[in-house]
Amino acid sequence: MYWLAGLVGLAGLAAWQWSVRSPSVSLDQLVLSPQIVVIDPRSINVMGKDGSFRTEAFKTHFNPTNAALPHIQIFDPSFLSVLGSSPSINLVASVPGIPFAHEAPVWHPDTDQVFFSSHCGEDLGWGSCDENNYISKMEMKEVYTALSGASDVTSAVNVSVTALDIPDARQMTWGATGPYHSNLLLINSGRGELPSSLTLVNPAPPHNVTVLLDNFYGRPFNSLNDGKIHPKSHKIFFTDVTYGYLKHFRPLPSMPNQVYRFDPDTGHVRVVTDVLMRPNGLAFSQDGKIAYVGDTGASAGFLGRNQTNPAAIYEFDVDPKTQVFTNPRIFAFIDTGLPDGIQVDTMGNVYSSCGDGVHVWNKDGILIGKFFTGTVSCNLVFAGPGKLVILAQTKVYLAQIAAKGTKLAYP
């Protein structure tokens, strides 16, 4: 708070904010880059009877300075520990009209490549889900080379994205993590009568596929969505939600929306929680004691949206013996859109892709900042220390910051 007050006094502003068009501001060896917008929450707490309230959380965004896109919003000075001294956010790949960068990001450290899946659905102005989606990869070395040759820190570049020829044993990949034993661990929704599944895919040609799981004791899953490897037990946790049916590419659901734990060593699979309306993104604290799960109940596919249903991240304790998720409590309610993919950094901050970019909360659930793209972001991944890749359907952004993501790979 003293830092805030000092900054306000120095600038002579009651609202404590700068446009990205303003020159850099130096304070105690801190330089705010041209892409940063600083917003004191006290300046927005009261809008009054004539205020322009947002009544639609999916189509309207919170950009009080009308700053150019993309930019970084700071709501609390603790976000500076995430950003470091010279943060940046850049558009690095774009294919207009094609949602090639939707979900399932995995960074493969050995090759420094990021893999991700495409979307489908006529609601995006794209083709129907009558065919399998595709997996693409992006070379991070190419990204860094392109940015190093850019004219300034805000410049956009457009590197090549390569679609992979992967066997159809995996259908409609909606989530991914790892690497797991050097392979991509894909969480697949399935399509039609082709079942939901967990699969391992070789990141190198011929991209052979190994199916690890495609049923719960003979019963089909609804449409698997996202997952993570537990950092201590190294078991696989994943969410199952009815979005395949709600997007017309899976049959009528036959099981509840639930979160599962799968042990590849023994083959055992069990439910760890069934309390969420539509469980989606999933992540663990670095010590594995806390699980974060997004509930996207506000969105129901062809049934429409209901803003009074959940659009929040819930926090659970992970039982040290059974690893069942216990003591559920609200962690963060999303102000724009829904919480989709979730990641955690080594400082305990929680990141989620949302309706206007990526939101970041401290471990107490306080919103400290946003990577504001002004468009829906469905997932994200750290591609090494300080390299945050943000998927935004037809675009990919890279935020270069100070924070480091927790380890997702095993071993």
Side-chain angles (χ1 to χ4, degrees), residues 47-112:
M47 297 181 67
K49 66 181 182 66
D50 297 321
S52 299
F53 293 95
R54 293 191 299 140
T55 58
E56 215 294 334
F58 287 86
K59 297 179 181 178
T60 58
H61 302 156
F62 185 69
N63 185 11
T65 62
N66 294 314
L69 303 175
H71 63 265
I72 298 168
Q73 294 180 346
I74 299 178
F75 292 95
D76 187 271
S78 63
F79 195 42
L80 295 170
S81 63
V82 169
L83 299 178
S85 60
S86 56
S88 61
I89 180 169
N90 300 84
L91 177 66
V92 297
S94 176
V95 184
I98 307 296
F100 71 100
H102 174 57
E103 289 267 24
V106 182
W107 175 59
H108 200 278
D110 293 345
T111 59
D112 202 16

Side-chain angles (χ1 to χ4, degrees), residues 22-264:
S22 300
S24 295
V25 178
S26 179
L27 178 69
D28 296 334
Q29 300 181 339
L30 170 70
V31 177
L32 298 180
S33 82
Q35 290 187 303
I36 287 181
V37 173
V38 190
I39 304 169
D40 182 353
R42 295 169 299 181
S43 70
I44 58 173
N45 288 159
V46 178
M47 297 181 67
K49 66 181 182 66
D50 297 321
S52 299
F53 293 95
R54 293 191 299 140
T55 58
E56 215 294 334
F58 287 86
K59 297 179 181 178
T60 58
H61 302 156
F62 185 69
N63 185 11
T65 62
N66 294 314
L69 303 175
H71 63 265
I72 298 168
Q73 294 180 346
I74 299 178
F75 292 95
D76 187 271
S78 63
F79 195 42
L80 295 170
S81 63
V82 169
L83 299 178
S85 60
S86 56
S88 61
I89 180 169
N90 300 84
L91 177 66
V92 297
S94 176
V95 184
I98 307 296
F100 71 100
H102 174 57
E103 289 267 24
V106 182
W107 175 59
H108 200 278
D110 293 345
T111 59
D112 202 16
Q113 298 169 327
V114 172
F115 298 80
F116 44 80
S117 69
S118 67
H119 202 353
C120 68
E122 294 160 351
D123 56 330
L124 295 173
W126 179 235
S128 71
C129 297
D130 293 336
E131 296 181 356
N132 198 5
N133 67 346
Y134 54 90
I135 305 293
S136 299
K137 70 177 181 181
M138 183 174 67
E139 303 281 348
M140 295 307 297
K141 182 179 180 180
E142 184 181 349
V143 172
Y144 304 138
T145 300
L147 288 175
S148 68
S151 58
D152 60 64
V153 70
T154 65
S155 294
V157 298
N158 196 10
V159 304
S160 58
V161 174
T162 304
L164 307 182
D165 184 13
I166 298 179
D168 283 341
R170 67 96 208 166
Q171 289 286 324
M172 302 303 276
T173 300
W174 236 243
T177 193
Y180 184 76
H181 295 289
S182 298
N183 292 291
L184 310 179
L185 175 55
L186 303 187
I187 296 97
N188 310 294
S189 285
R191 184 174 57 83
E193 297 305 317
L194 300 170
S196 291
S197 64
L198 299 178
T199 57
L200 295 181
V201 173
N202 188 338
H207 305 298
N208 45 296
V209 177
T210 301
V211 179
L212 299 179
L213 178 72
D214 68 2
N215 71 92
F216 182 77
Y217 298 98
R219 299 178 65 180
F221 294 108
N222 296 321
S223 50
L224 305 191
N225 188 276
D226 205 354
K228 289 289 191 304
I229 302 163
H230 190 270
K232 299 301 180 182
S233 72
H234 311 302
K235 308 312 178 189
I236 300 170
F237 289 72
F238 58 92
T239 58
D240 186 32
V241 62
T242 54
Y243 279 127
Y245 169 72
L246 295 173
K247 283 191 168 289
H248 299 296
F249 64 82
R250 285 286 288 154
L252 192 69
S254 61
M255 290 206 295
N257 291 326
Q258 300 180 129
V259 183
Y260 294 82
R261 173 187 185 269
F262 174 60
D263 184 345

